């Protein structure tokens, strides 16, 4: 029993080590930058672009071939000295607002942006009306209940 | 007091009915279908080789000066194999030109694919690096763009074009554009 447990735990450890080595390898495959600032900008941009192929991942997380290509484009653009805004608008022109994890406010997503505020206002109004009414009709309500 | 209580009691029911409507309409939508900002814009500039004739350089100048279909395909794209027989059929039955974009493929494989399945395209653009594909915002082959006589993209379809898509979506738009252009 103890021996089996020992074999099992060794196996787990081995699996863990091989997985982390794999992760190390992926990291090393990334591109070379002129400065740490550039690299930081690169990481920031790829984590804010959504992979069009695999919709709930950023292109930083995705292993899809398309994401690989897009990461390479980001890299090239950074090396060429383009600004973050330029890079985002390049992708936006091709893949639409969808590609941005932080989409701009526009008529078709007003409902998304303003719904919480509207709901909040409605709740406040409802509360004020309810509470306001209760103060006035406090006694009558009690008498109603009693009767 | 009674009607007001009735109204309040029916609020959950009303919300439920609204949600059913909203969910019902969004169930029919394909969440993978993305918008494109390219509609109303010209086909992006390109300068690439032809798949069938590697010596030949194709540019925007080579695009037909009439309404045509730009189809993105690849031999690694599984759905393209399903779509191909339809394209052969439509190319035969309708005098609408098809231009292929062979997206991120090897020319050897592409040639074998066309030799085996037939070639519905006037010519195919060899986009080996995928640059034209990215300029077109391609994210899942097969994709088809409907382009008018002025080289402006008017519609995009993502996915396989079968008889249903052809008759319900592609053909009506192409015919409308053709009659528009005929009137001018």
């Amino acid at each position: 029993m103890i021996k089996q447990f020992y074999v099992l735990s060794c196996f787990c450890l081995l699996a863990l080590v091989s997985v982390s080595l794999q992760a190390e390898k992926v990291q090393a495959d990334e591109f070379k930058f002129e400065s740490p600032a550039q690299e930081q900008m690169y990481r920031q941009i790829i984590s804010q672009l959504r992979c069009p192929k695999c919709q709930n991942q950023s292109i930083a997380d995705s292993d899809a071939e398309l994401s690989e290509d897009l990461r390479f484009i980001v890299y090239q653009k950074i090396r060429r000295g383009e600004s973050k805004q330029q890079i985002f608008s390049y992708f936006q022109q091709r893949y639409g607002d969808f590609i941005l994890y932080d989409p701009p406010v526009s008529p078709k997503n007003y409902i998304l942006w303003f719904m919480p505020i509207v709901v909040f206002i409605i709740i406040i109004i409802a509360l004020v009306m309810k509470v306001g009414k209760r103060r006035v009709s406090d006694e009558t309500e009690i008498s109603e209940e009693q009767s | 007091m009674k009607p007001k209580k009735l109204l309040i009691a029916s609020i959950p029911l009303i919300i439920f009915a609204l949600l059913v409507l909203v969910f019902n309409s969004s169930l029919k939508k394909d969440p993978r279908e993305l918008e494109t900002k390219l509609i109303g814009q010209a086909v992006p500039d390109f300068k690439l080789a032809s798949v069938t004739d590697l010596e030949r350089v194709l540019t925007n100048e080579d695009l037909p000066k009439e309404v045509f279909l730009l189809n993105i395909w690849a031999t690694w794209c599984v759905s393209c194999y399903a779509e191909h027989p339809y394209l052969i059929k439509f190319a035969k039955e309708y005098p609408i030109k098809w231009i292929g974009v062979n997206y991120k493929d090897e020319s050897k494989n592409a040639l074998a694919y066309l030799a085996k399945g037939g070639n519905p395209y006037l010519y195919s653009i060899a986009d080996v690096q995928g640059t034209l594909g990215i300029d077109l915002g391609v994210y899942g082959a097969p994709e088809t763009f409907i382009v008018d006589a002025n080289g402006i993209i008017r519609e995009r379809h993502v996915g396989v074009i079968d008889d249903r898509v052809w008759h319900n979506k592609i053909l009506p738009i192409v015919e409308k554009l053709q009659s528009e252009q005929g009137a001018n």
Side-chain angles (χ1 to χ4, degrees):
Chain A
M1 184 69 192
I2 291 174
K3 197 179 168 191
Q4 276 169 338
F5 182 74
Y6 178 72
V7 170
L8 186 73
S9 49
C10 276
F11 179 76
C12 287
L13 193 69
L14 205 71
L16 191 73
V17 169
S18 63
V19 164
S20 53
L21 280 177
Q22 206 84 41
E24 202 75 21
K25 194 167 154 275
V26 170
Q27 288 271 309
D29 278 344
E30 291 289 3
F31 311 115
K32 299 268 178 294
F33 290 93
E34 282 164 357
S35 66
Q38 269 193 351
E39 182 164 358
Q40 199 195 351
M41 183 173 150
Y42 168 77
R43 298 214 176 279
Q44 208 175 12
I45 288 174
I46 62 171
S47 65
Q48 283 170 20
L49 289 173
R50 193 198 299 258
C51 165
K53 183 88 198 160
C54 31
Q55 304 194 340
N56 288 323
Q57 280 183 310
S58 69
I59 64 168
D61 294 332
S62 161
D63 268 338
E65 209 178 315
L66 180 60
S67 298
E68 230 168 79
D69 292 347
L70 298 185
R71 284 200 297 264
F72 185 59
I73 291 174
V74 173
Y75 168 71
Q76 283 177 319
K77 287 190 173 297
I78 287 177
R79 287 299 296 257
R80 240 177 276 149
E82 287 188 28
S83 75
K84 209 166 161 181
Q85 217 43 55
Q86 277 173 310
I87 295 171
F88 281 148
S89 72
Y90 170 90
F91 285 105
Q92 207 184 341
Q93 272 161 23
R94 280 158 185 76
Y95 294 97
D97 292 346
F98 177 87
I99 195 150
L100 305 177
Y101 265 118
D102 189 10
V105 183
S106 72
K108 66 180 173 239
N109 57 26
Y110 277 167
I111 190 163
L112 212 61
W113 283 92
F114 299 117
M115 188 67 146
I117 301 169
V118 170
V119 169
F120 182 71
I121 291 170
I122 289 172
I123 290 172
I124 292 291
I125 290 171
L127 266 177
V128 165
M129 276 168 67
K130 189 98 182 160
V131 171
K133 209 169 82 189
R134 192 165 63 197
R135 267 196 213 121
V136 178
S137 59
D138 219 350
E139 279 171 88
T140 51
E141 250 177 31
I142 290 167
S143 60
E144 255 178 24
E145 270 169 49
Q146 282 169 342
S147 63
Chain B
M1 208 55 194
K2 259 267 163 83
K4 202 183 163 192
K5 267 190 179 161
L6 195 70
L7 185 74
I8 289 171
S10 60
I11 281 175
L13 192 69
I14 293 167
I15 292 174
F16 171 74
L18 282 175
L19 281 179
V20 167
L21 283 177
V22 169
F23 290 160
N24 188 40
S25 68
S26 43
L27 268 178
K28 285 174 196 147
K29 271 197 237 155
D30 185 354
R32 282 166 301 176
E33 192 130 324
L34 305 185
E35 55 155 5
T36 173
K37 295 249 157 117
L38 283 161
I39 290 173
Q41 287 189 35
V43 175
D45 289 338
F46 63 91
K47 196 176 174 189
L48 295 161
S50 156
V51 169
T52 46
D53 180 7
L54 287 170
E55 302 277 288
R56 186 176 170 202
V57 178
L58 297 166
T59 65
N60 299 59
E61 290 299 306
D62 296 292
L63 295 175
K65 305 284 182 283
E66 60 187 277
V67 181
F68 68 95
L69 299 164
L70 190 72
N71 179 254
I72 285 81
W73 64 279
T75 59
W76 47 261
C77 146
V78 182
S79 320
C80 297
Y81 288 88
E83 188 186 52
H84 204 73
Y86 287 106
L87 301 191
I88 298 280
K89 188 174 90 175
F90 300 143
K92 208 177 277 174
E93 286 176 11
Y94 298 89
I96 302 163
K97 283 182 180 148
W98 289 83
I99 304 294
V101 176
N102 184 225
Y103 179 54
K104 298 204 74 176
D105 217 341
E106 279 177 41
S107 76
K108 186 181 63 180
N109 296 348
L111 283 172
Y113 178 91
L114 293 177
K116 200 174 169 213
N119 188 354
Y121 308 108
L122 192 62
Y123 54 79
S124 281
I125 302 160
D127 187 19
V128 181
Q129 302 292 323
T131 45
L132 178 59
I134 283 170
D135 283 343
L136 282 166
V138 169
Y139 63 93
E143 286 188 28
T144 303
F145 292 83
I146 303 176
V147 185
D148 70 13
N150 303 319
I152 306 293
I153 294 167
R154 301 297 285 265
E155 185 59 67
R156 171 175 76 167
H157 177 78
V158 178
V160 172
I161 297 181
D162 52 15
D163 283 327
R164 195 178 53 87
V165 176
W166 177 256
H167 289 289
N168 292 342
K169 185 176 176 184
I170 310 292
L171 200 56
I173 297 171
V174 169
E175 280 171 350
K176 191 173 147 263
L177 289 174
Q178 280 173 338
S179 66
E180 259 176 42
Q181 239 109 42
N184 287 341

